[in-house]
């Protein structure tokens, strides 16, 4: 037990030192205004390079990521079915899917899934 604790402390210490070294050596102190400005074929840009994006598109992307993670959580349910108690597996699977459906219904009623052009 003492050996595992000492090895984990040593690994933590080495990784902390490496992160501090990497962050201190990678700092760039020279900030040039010309290098930080947007570049359009050698000319000054006609409009702002920071064009605002659609907030609705951002919300759709976030919802997609959330449901993508939920699918990754659903996939192991079939594998677990063979090794667990069937009744407990059924109740937990139905509960998880019910919570997901409630979330989908809420997003649908809020209008976040309607694509407005």
């Amino acid at each position: 037990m003492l050996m595992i604790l000492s090895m984990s402390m040593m690994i933590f210490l080495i990784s902390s030192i490496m992160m501090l070294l990497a962050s201190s050596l990678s700092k760039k102190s020279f900030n040039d205004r010309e290098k930080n400005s947007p570049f359009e074929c050698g000319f000054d840009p006609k409009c702002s390079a920071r064009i605002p994006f659609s907030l609705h598109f951002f919300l759709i992307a976030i919802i997609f990521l959330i449901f993508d993670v939920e699918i990754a959580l659903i996939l192991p349910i079939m594998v677990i079915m063979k090794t667990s108690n069937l009744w407990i597996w059924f109740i937990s699977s139905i509960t998880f899917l019910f919570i997901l459906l409630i979330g989908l219904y809420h997003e649908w009623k809020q209008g976040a899934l309607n694509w407005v052009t």
Side-chain angles (χ1 to χ4, degrees):
M1 182 70 178
L2 185 60
M3 185 174 172
I4 293 173
L5 184 63
S6 63
M7 289 297 283
S8 63
M9 290 300 289
M10 188 181 305
I11 290 170
F12 178 74
L13 182 66
I14 290 172
S15 62
S16 298
I17 290 172
M18 293 300 285
M19 284 191 299
L20 286 173
L21 278 173
S23 67
S24 65
L25 293 176
S26 69
K27 300 258 185 205
K28 293 181 181 177
S29 61
F30 184 72
N31 289 333
D32 188 15
R33 182 176 171 197
E34 288 296 319
K35 286 186 179 180
N36 289 335
S37 66
F39 183 73
E40 287 185 8
C41 301
F43 300 105
D44 289 331
K46 294 181 180 179
C47 61
S48 174
R50 307 279 186 219
I51 299 172
F53 59 93
S54 171
L55 184 61
H56 192 72
F57 177 76
F58 178 72
L59 290 175
I60 294 289
I62 294 296
I63 291 170
F64 171 76
L65 287 175
I66 290 171
F67 280 104
D68 193 38
V69 169
E70 290 167 352
I71 288 174
L73 292 173
I74 288 173
L75 285 176
I77 287 177
M78 293 301 145
V79 177
I80 294 172
M81 181 178 76
K82 294 179 181 178
T83 60
S84 66
N85 185 356
L86 191 60
W87 181 249
I88 294 174
W89 173 84
F90 180 74
I91 295 296
S92 61
S93 299
I94 293 298
T95 304
F96 184 69
L97 290 174
F98 185 69
I99 291 171
L100 293 183
L101 287 174
I102 288 174
L104 179 63
Y105 179 74
H106 176 70
E107 293 295 329
W108 191 0
K109 285 298 179 186
Q110 292 291 321
L113 300 178
N114 295 334
W115 191 261
V116 180
T117 58

